[in-house]
């Protein structure tokens, strides 16, 4: 299988962490792609019409996207139970959506600062995205700690990669303030071999 990825992408990192955690890392060839909404990559657009990474090309020629679909596929392929069945399933998927939502809001902040000319940037809009991130961190810190402390699942992986991305691109904003329990959980989670092996370039 061939994975279109970039080491700066928290979505691609989710996939890399799943590959490590489920011992499938040697089944995938990593193909690094540099792209943005203003500088699309033609080859990626042929595989994923949305022009985004990660995209996973299977040997049968089918390409899977987005990261949630790829991770669910890899989990089923390995039978690893990162997306459990039963009652914990819906909690796990909601937690994954929370981590992915943090990534989405953080990526909007990144693109606003990096892609939009300074005179067109809208601070209240950026602040509104950051508010979403802080609200999500507060919810994780107050309501999700017992789930985060449980067996490894897709929700934890998403949250771990999202927090790593905040450190990577938005360190100065200080997401840890007021989120002590979450910060302590992240310190332990980020020490996992799968997280260490998939570190962002400058993280
Ligand atoms: O939006 C684009 O045209 C190009 N951007 C991407 O491909 C980003 C790279 S993260 N990926 C996504 O937006 C994927 C989102 C999707 N819902 C998923 O796969 O889960 C780049 C991060 C950075 O450079 O800071």
């Amino acid at each position: 299988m061939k994975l279109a990825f970039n080491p700066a992408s928290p979505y691609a990192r989710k996939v890399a962490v799943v590959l490590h955690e489920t011992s499938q890392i040697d089944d995938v060839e990593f193909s690094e792609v540099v792209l943005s909404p203003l500088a699309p990559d033609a080859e990626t657009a042929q595989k994923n019409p949305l022009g985004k990474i990660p995209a996973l090309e299977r040997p049968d020629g089918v390409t899977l996207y987005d990261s949630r679909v790829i991770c669910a596929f890899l989990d089923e392929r390995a039978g690893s139970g990162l997306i459990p069945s039963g009652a914990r399933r819906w909690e796990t998927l909601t937690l994954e959506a929370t981590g992915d939502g943090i990534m989405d809001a953080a990526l909007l902040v990144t693109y606003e600062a990096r892609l939009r000319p300074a005179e067109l940037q809208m601070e209240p809009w950026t602040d509104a995205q950051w508010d979403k991130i802080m609200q999500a961190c507060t919810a994780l810190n107050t309501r999700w700690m017992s789930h985060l402390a449980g067996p490894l699942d897709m929700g934890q992986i998403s949250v771990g990669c999202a927090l790593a991305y905040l450190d990577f691109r938005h360190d100065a904003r200080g997401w840890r303030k007021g989120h002590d329990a979450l910060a302590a959980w992240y310190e332990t989670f980020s020490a996992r071999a799968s997280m260490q092996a998939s570190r962002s370039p400058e993280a």
Side-chain angles (χ1 to χ4, degrees):
M1 297 183 285
K2 192 171 165 187
L3 182 72
F5 93 112
N6 184 287
S9 166
Y11 308 98
R13 191 171 186 180
K14 269 172 39 181
V15 175
V17 169
V18 169
L19 286 169
H20 281 287
E21 293 285 355
T22 60
S23 305
Q24 298 181 87
I25 193 76
D26 293 335
D27 298 349
V28 172
E29 177 195 336
F30 283 68
S31 164
E32 187 167 338
V33 177
V34 177
L35 82 180
S36 81
L38 296 184
D41 176 65
E43 202 181 316
T44 301
Q46 277 183 354
K47 295 176 192 161
N48 174 358
L50 302 171
K52 297 185 184 192
I53 54 158
L56 181 73
E57 199 178 337
R58 292 193 316 209
D60 62 4
V62 172
T63 296
L64 301 180
Y65 55 88
D66 57 10
S67 63
R68 241 184 268 194
V69 175
I70 297 170
C71 291
F73 166 74
L74 293 172
D75 179 45
E76 187 175 293
R77 183 175 186 263
S80 42
L82 289 174
I83 302 173
S85 54
R88 197 175 159 94
R89 176 184 186 83
W90 305 112
E91 262 198 32
T92 299
L93 292 176
T94 303
L95 187 60
E96 182 183 17
T98 307
D100 286 9
I102 291 174
M103 291 177 200
D104 293 344
L107 183 58
L108 289 175
V109 175
T110 301
Y111 281 161
E112 180 79 4
R114 292 168 80 99
L115 301 184
R116 201 181 287 273
E119 67 277 12
L120 295 179
Q121 288 176 20
M122 196 177 156
E123 208 178 315
W125 189 86
T126 298
D127 289 347
Q129 298 306 324
W130 191 254
D131 285 348
K132 289 179 194 292
I133 295 167
M134 287 299 91
Q135 283 163 209
C137 284
T138 300
L140 293 171
N141 194 67
T142 53
R143 299 205 300 271
W144 285 93
M145 292 317 302
S146 111
H147 185 115
L148 287 169
L152 181 71
D153 65 23
M154 218 37 245
Q156 294 173 17
I157 291 172
S158 176
V159 169
C161 291
L163 297 176
Y165 185 70
L166 297 182
D167 278 349
F168 172 52
R169 289 285 196 217
H170 305 294
D171 193 27
R173 288 180 179 261
W175 66 266
R176 287 173 177 77
K177 192 159 180 270
H179 303 122
D180 293 354
L182 183 62
W185 172 82
Y186 176 69
E187 289 321 305
T188 304
F189 187 82
S190 60
R192 294 183 79 91
S194 59
M195 287 294 284
Q196 291 297 315
S198 60
R199 281 161 69 98
S200 303
E202 301 139 47

